[in-house]
Amino acid sequence: RLRLSVLNNPPLPIFLLSHDLAHIFLTTLHHPCMCPCNTATHWVGDGFNVYPVFANKAFTQELSPFLMFDYAAPKSFLPNNGSPRGVGRHPHRGMSTITIAFNGEVEHADSVGNRGVIKPGDCQWMTAGRGIIHEEYHSTEFSKRGGEFEMCQLWVNLPAKDKMAPPNYQPIENEDIPSADIPGGAGSVRVIAGSFAGTTGPATTHSPVELWDVSLPKQGAIADFPFPAEHNCIVFVRRGGVDVLTSGEEGDEKAYPLGPQDVALMERQTGDTVRVRAAADDTSLLIMGGKPLNEPIAARGPFVMNTQEELMQANIDYRSGNFGR
């Protein structure tokens, strides 16, 4: 059972714009209030034109353990015989970055010797730990041929006890990501992390995390997603649309529509299932969440620690060269 509540800004008439953030509580339905968060795209380097999906909720406890979500919607790039587009060498400490390629290819290299190309359907789970320096570009082959490019990058926080762990790199190829059917035949779930319908994803995480790539092929299909009641849960519409179905105080069903690039945040209350109805054919969702860390979040640029002093030390270590080894 879900309750829809205002996320930020003064309440406006009831409507939902693309890229809005909507709070949905796993409890009895109450009167909804919607408001636009007015997110716009920006360039990361010269290769990634992204929506900051979490907007002003990024780096807050309401998303924990997730921190940030950049989504590069489908965009066509012309063939490029010059320098590949992307982001040059930059550091990270105290968190993990998860990159998923849907179309196009991303080439990665880092300071501890990892290299790889993230192809459509692949996922790269890079744990920065005590520090890593990496770079991300359109792959050489994709740059030469051009074409449609679509990807996303998520940041997941590390528990305090693991922030200074050695860096770790998990290249997870498409064929290594298991798929589970949604009960009732509504569609399927590629399980990257966590478990769904008895299928466990390949990603190794430092705290309980769910990351599911959901496909709902037919409009009208209804899908139930059991989710741990004590975990934060986030639903993102990558393509198509869904109605989030809820039970009101009188037992009546209500539907709250989400369109492309809309996101809903589910707060931990009494419910343990998210129910959606596909509003269009070929709908694609990302459902993610995890057990909240309940630890202070200190974030600045590419570093995510627990205190300002730790952030200062990260900057000192990076500038002194004692970093990314």
Side-chain angles (χ1 to χ4, degrees):
R1 297 184 300 170
L2 305 176
R3 185 182 76 187
L4 192 63
S5 173
V6 67
L7 187 81
N8 56 16
N9 301 331
L12 298 176
I14 296 173
F15 66 102
L16 188 63
L17 297 178
S18 291
H19 326 309
D20 281 357
L21 284 158
H23 247 323
I24 299 182
F25 290 73
L26 296 177
T27 181
T28 307
L29 179 70
H30 286 253
H31 296 293
C33 256
M34 308 285 205
C35 61
C37 63
N38 299 319
T39 58
T41 62
H42 66 273
W43 283 92
V44 178
D46 63 357
F48 311 107
N49 187 226
V50 300
Y51 290 103
V53 173
F54 291 158
N56 68 338
K57 285 297 175 181
F59 303 97
T60 66
Q61 297 291 350
E62 291 170 87
L63 305 175
S64 179
F66 282 83
L67 294 163
M68 191 198 77
F69 182 177
D70 277 348
Y71 172 64
K75 182 178 178 64
S76 292
F77 286 88
L78 295 174
N80 171 26
N81 293 317
S83 298
R85 292 175 174 267
V87 184
R89 289 169 59 83
H90 59 281
H92 289 292
R93 174 179 279 184
M95 33 68 79
S96 297
T97 66
I98 299 97
T99 304
I100 304 172
F102 301 110
N103 286 295
E105 297 178 351
V106 180
E107 196 161 338
H108 163 95
D110 64 42
S111 57
V112 293
N114 299 303
R115 298 189 69 91
V117 176
I118 311 163
K119 298 181 179 181
D122 294 351
C123 173
Q124 173 197 276
W125 201 294
M126 186 189 78
T127 299
R130 67 189 178 215
I132 198 167
I133 301 170
H134 77 146
E135 56 190 42
E136 302 158 291
Y137 290 97
H138 292 184
S139 75
T140 301
E141 290 303 314
F142 178 76
S143 295
K144 287 179 180 178
R145 68 174 182 267
E148 186 173 83
F149 186 87
E150 180 190 6
M151 55 81 70
C152 71
Q153 186 170 97
L154 300 145
W155 290 14
V156 174
N157 207 359
L158 291 175
K161 66 181 180 62
D162 296 322
K163 284 190 176 292
M164 297 300 286
N168 187 45
Y169 179 78
Q170 299 176 70
I172 304 172
E173 297 184 352
N174 182 36
E175 56 265 30
D176 297 325
I177 299 174
S179 183
D181 292 333
I182 298 171
S188 61
V189 176
R190 291 200 320 144
V191 186
I192 298 171
S195 298
F196 176 81
T199 298
T200 300
T204 299
T205 64
H206 288 259
S207 66
V209 171
E210 292 84 25
L211 181 54
W212 305 338
D213 183 5
V214 177
S215 176
L216 303 174
K218 296 296 182 182
Q219 181 178 359
I222 294 177
D224 284 340
F225 299 96
F227 214 86
E230 70 276 13
H231 286 200
N232 283 328
C233 176
I234 304 157
V235 177
F236 171 71
V237 179
R238 176 182 153 228
R239 182 179 63 242
V242 295
D243 297 319
V244 179
L245 304 178
T246 73
S247 296
E249 292 178 339
E250 305 301 322
D252 55 320
E253 184 177 80
K254 294 182 183 279
Y256 294 95
L258 301 174
Q261 285 85 67
D262 285 346
V263 62
L265 312 183
M266 316 291 183
E267 281 203 351
R268 294 165 288 123
Q269 297 286 345
T270 59
D272 59 3
T273 300
V274 176
R275 172 172 288 181
V276 303
R277 178 176 58 218
D281 289 346
D282 194 28
T283 286
S284 176
L285 312 175
L286 285 177
I287 297 180
M288 66 201 81
K291 185 176 181 180
L293 299 183
N294 295 320
E295 296 175 349
I297 300 172
R300 183 175 299 162
F303 306 136
V304 184
M305 305 302 289
N306 298 110
T307 68
Q308 293 298 315
E309 291 76 17
E310 289 169 340
L311 285 179
M312 291 175 62
Q313 187 62 51
N315 274 288
I316 292 169
D317 290 347
Y318 174 58
R319 293 179 184 280
S320 68
N322 183 26
F323 201 88
R325 292 180 287 177

Coordinates of all heavy atoms in Angstrom, one line a residue, residues 238-269:
R238 N 12.8 4.2 -17.7 CA 13.8 4.4 -18.8 C 13.1 4.7 -20.1 O 13.5 5.5 -20.9 CB 14.7 3.2 -18.9 CG 15.7 3.3 -20.0 CD 16.6 2.1 -20.1 NE 17.1 1.9 -21.4 CZ 17.1 0.8 -22.1 NH1 16.6 -0.3 -21.5 NH2 17.5 0.7 -23.4
R239 N 12.1 3.9 -20.3 CA 11.3 4.0 -21.6 C 9.9 3.6 -21.4 O 9.6 2.7 -20.5 CB 12.0 3.1 -22.7 CG 11.4 3.1 -24.0 CD 12.1 2.2 -25.0 NE 12.0 0.8 -24.6 CZ 13.1 0.0 -24.3 NH1 14.3 0.6 -24.3 NH2 13.0 -1.2 -23.9
G240 N 8.9 4.2 -22.1 CA 7.5 3.8 -21.9 C 6.9 4.5 -20.8 O 7.1 5.7 -20.6
G241 N 6.2 3.8 -20.0 CA 5.5 4.4 -18.8 C 4.8 3.3 -18.0 O 4.5 2.2 -18.4
V242 N 4.6 3.6 -16.7 CA 3.8 2.8 -15.8 C 2.9 3.6 -15.0 O 3.0 4.8 -14.8 CB 4.8 1.9 -14.9 CG1 5.6 1.0 -15.6 CG2 5.6 2.9 -14.0
D243 N 1.8 2.9 -14.5 CA 1.0 3.4 -13.4 C 1.4 2.6 -12.1 O 1.4 1.4 -12.1 CB -0.5 3.2 -13.7 CG -0.9 3.9 -14.9 OD1 -0.5 5.1 -15.1 OD2 -1.7 3.3 -15.7
V244 N 1.8 3.4 -11.1 CA 2.0 2.8 -9.8 C 0.6 2.6 -9.2 O -0.1 3.5 -9.0 CB 2.9 3.6 -8.9 CG1 3.1 3.0 -7.6 CG2 4.3 3.9 -9.6
L245 N 0.3 1.3 -8.8 CA -1.0 1.0 -8.3 C -1.0 0.9 -6.8 O -0.1 0.3 -6.2 CB -1.5 -0.3 -8.9 CG -1.5 -0.4 -10.4 CD1 -2.0 -1.8 -10.9 CD2 -2.4 0.7 -11.0
T246 N -1.9 1.6 -6.2 CA -2.0 1.6 -4.7 C -3.4 1.3 -4.2 O -4.4 1.4 -4.9 CB -1.6 3.0 -4.2 OG1 -2.7 3.9 -4.5 CG2 -0.3 3.5 -4.9
S247 N -3.4 1.0 -2.9 CA -4.7 0.8 -2.2 C -4.9 2.0 -1.3 O -4.1 2.3 -0.5 CB -4.7 -0.5 -1.4 OG -4.6 -1.6 -2.3
G248 N -6.1 2.6 -1.5 CA -6.4 3.8 -0.6 C -6.9 3.3 0.7 O -7.1 2.2 1.0
E249 N -7.3 4.3 1.5 CA -7.8 4.0 2.9 C -9.1 3.3 2.8 O -9.5 2.6 3.8 CB -7.9 5.4 3.7 CG -6.5 6.0 4.0 CD -6.7 7.3 4.7 OE1 -7.8 7.9 4.6 OE2 -5.7 7.7 5.4
E250 N -9.9 3.5 1.8 CA -11.2 2.9 1.6 C -11.0 1.5 0.9 O -12.1 0.9 0.6 CB -12.1 3.8 0.9 CG -12.3 5.2 1.5 CD -12.8 5.1 3.0 OE1 -13.6 4.2 3.2 OE2 -12.3 5.9 3.8
G251 N -9.8 1.1 0.6 CA -9.6 -0.1 -0.2 C -9.7 0.1 -1.7 O -9.6 -0.9 -2.4
D252 N -10.0 1.3 -2.2 CA -10.1 1.5 -3.6 C -8.7 1.6 -4.2 O -7.7 2.0 -3.6 CB -10.8 2.8 -3.9 CG -10.2 4.0 -3.1 OD1 -9.8 3.8 -2.0 OD2 -10.2 5.1 -3.7
E253 N -8.6 1.2 -5.5 CA -7.3 1.2 -6.2 C -7.1 2.6 -6.8 O -8.0 3.1 -7.4 CB -7.2 0.1 -7.2 CG -5.9 0.1 -7.9 CD -5.8 -1.1 -8.9 OE1 -6.3 -0.9 -10.0 OE2 -5.3 -2.1 -8.6
K254 N -5.9 3.1 -6.7 CA -5.5 4.4 -7.3 C -4.3 4.2 -8.2 O -3.5 3.3 -7.8 CB -5.3 5.5 -6.3 CG -6.6 5.9 -5.5 CD -6.3 7.0 -4.6 CE -7.5 7.4 -3.8 NZ -8.5 8.2 -4.5
A255 N -4.2 4.9 -9.2 CA -3.0 4.8 -10.1 C -2.3 6.1 -10.2 O -2.9 7.2 -10.4 CB -3.5 4.3 -11.5
Y256 N -1.0 6.1 -10.1 CA -0.2 7.3 -10.3 C 0.8 7.1 -11.5 O 1.6 6.2 -11.4 CB 0.6 7.6 -9.0 CG -0.3 7.9 -7.9 CD1 -0.8 7.0 -7.0 CD2 -0.8 9.2 -7.7 CE1 -1.6 7.3 -5.9 CE2 -1.7 9.6 -6.7 CZ -2.1 8.6 -5.8 OH -3.0 8.9 -4.8
P257 N 0.6 7.9 -12.5 CA 1.4 7.7 -13.7 C 2.8 8.2 -13.7 O 3.1 9.2 -13.1 CB 0.6 8.4 -14.8 CG -0.1 9.5 -14.0 CD -0.4 9.0 -12.7
L258 N 3.7 7.4 -14.2 CA 5.1 7.8 -14.4 C 5.5 7.6 -15.9 O 5.2 6.6 -16.4 CB 6.1 6.9 -13.6 CG 5.9 6.9 -12.0 CD1 6.8 5.9 -11.4 CD2 6.1 8.3 -11.4
G259 N 6.1 8.7 -16.5 CA 6.5 8.6 -17.9 C 8.0 8.5 -18.0 O 8.7 8.3 -17.0
P260 N 8.5 8.6 -19.2 CA 9.9 8.5 -19.5 C 10.7 9.4 -18.6 O 10.4 10.6 -18.5 CB 10.0 8.8 -21.0 CG 8.7 8.5 -21.5 CD 7.7 8.9 -20.5
Q261 N 11.7 8.9 -18.0 CA 12.7 9.6 -17.1 C 12.0 10.1 -15.8 O 12.6 10.9 -15.0 CB 13.4 10.7 -17.8 CG 14.5 10.3 -18.7 CD 14.0 9.9 -20.1 OE1 13.5 10.8 -20.8 NE2 14.0 8.6 -20.4
D262 N 10.8 9.7 -15.5 CA 10.2 9.9 -14.2 C 10.8 8.9 -13.2 O 11.2 7.8 -13.5 CB 8.7 9.8 -14.2 CG 8.0 11.0 -14.9 OD1 8.7 12.0 -15.1 OD2 6.8 10.8 -15.1
V263 N 10.8 9.3 -11.9 CA 11.3 8.5 -10.8 C 10.4 8.6 -9.6 O 9.9 9.6 -9.3 CB 12.8 8.8 -10.5 CG1 12.9 10.2 -10.0 CG2 13.4 7.8 -9.5
A264 N 10.2 7.5 -8.9 CA 9.5 7.4 -7.7 C 10.4 6.9 -6.6 O 11.1 5.9 -6.8 CB 8.2 6.6 -7.9
L265 N 10.3 7.5 -5.4 CA 11.1 7.1 -4.3 C 10.1 6.4 -3.3 O 9.1 7.0 -2.9 CB 11.8 8.2 -3.6 CG 12.6 9.2 -4.5 CD1 13.3 10.2 -3.6 CD2 13.6 8.4 -5.3
M266 N 10.4 5.2 -2.9 CA 9.5 4.5 -2.0 C 10.2 4.5 -0.6 O 11.3 4.0 -0.4 CB 9.4 3.0 -2.4 CG 9.2 2.8 -3.9 SD 7.6 3.4 -4.4 CE 7.7 2.9 -6.1
E267 N 9.5 5.1 0.4 CA 10.0 5.2 1.7 C 9.6 3.9 2.5 O 8.6 3.3 2.3 CB 9.5 6.4 2.5 CG 10.3 7.6 2.1 CD 10.2 8.7 3.1 OE1 9.5 8.6 4.1 OE2 10.9 9.7 3.0
R268 N 10.5 3.5 3.4 CA 10.3 2.3 4.2 C 9.2 2.6 5.2 O 9.2 3.4 6.0 CB 11.6 2.0 4.9 CG 12.7 1.6 4.0 CD 14.0 1.6 4.8 NE 14.5 2.9 5.0 CZ 14.7 3.4 6.2 NH1 14.6 2.6 7.3 NH2 15.1 4.7 6.4
Q269 N 8.1 1.8 5.1 CA 7.0 1.8 6.0 C 6.6 0.4 6.3 O 7.4 -0.5 6.7 CB 5.9 2.7 5.6 CG 6.3 4.2 5.4 CD 6.5 4.9 6.8 OE1 6.1 4.4 7.8 NE2 7.1 6.1 6.8

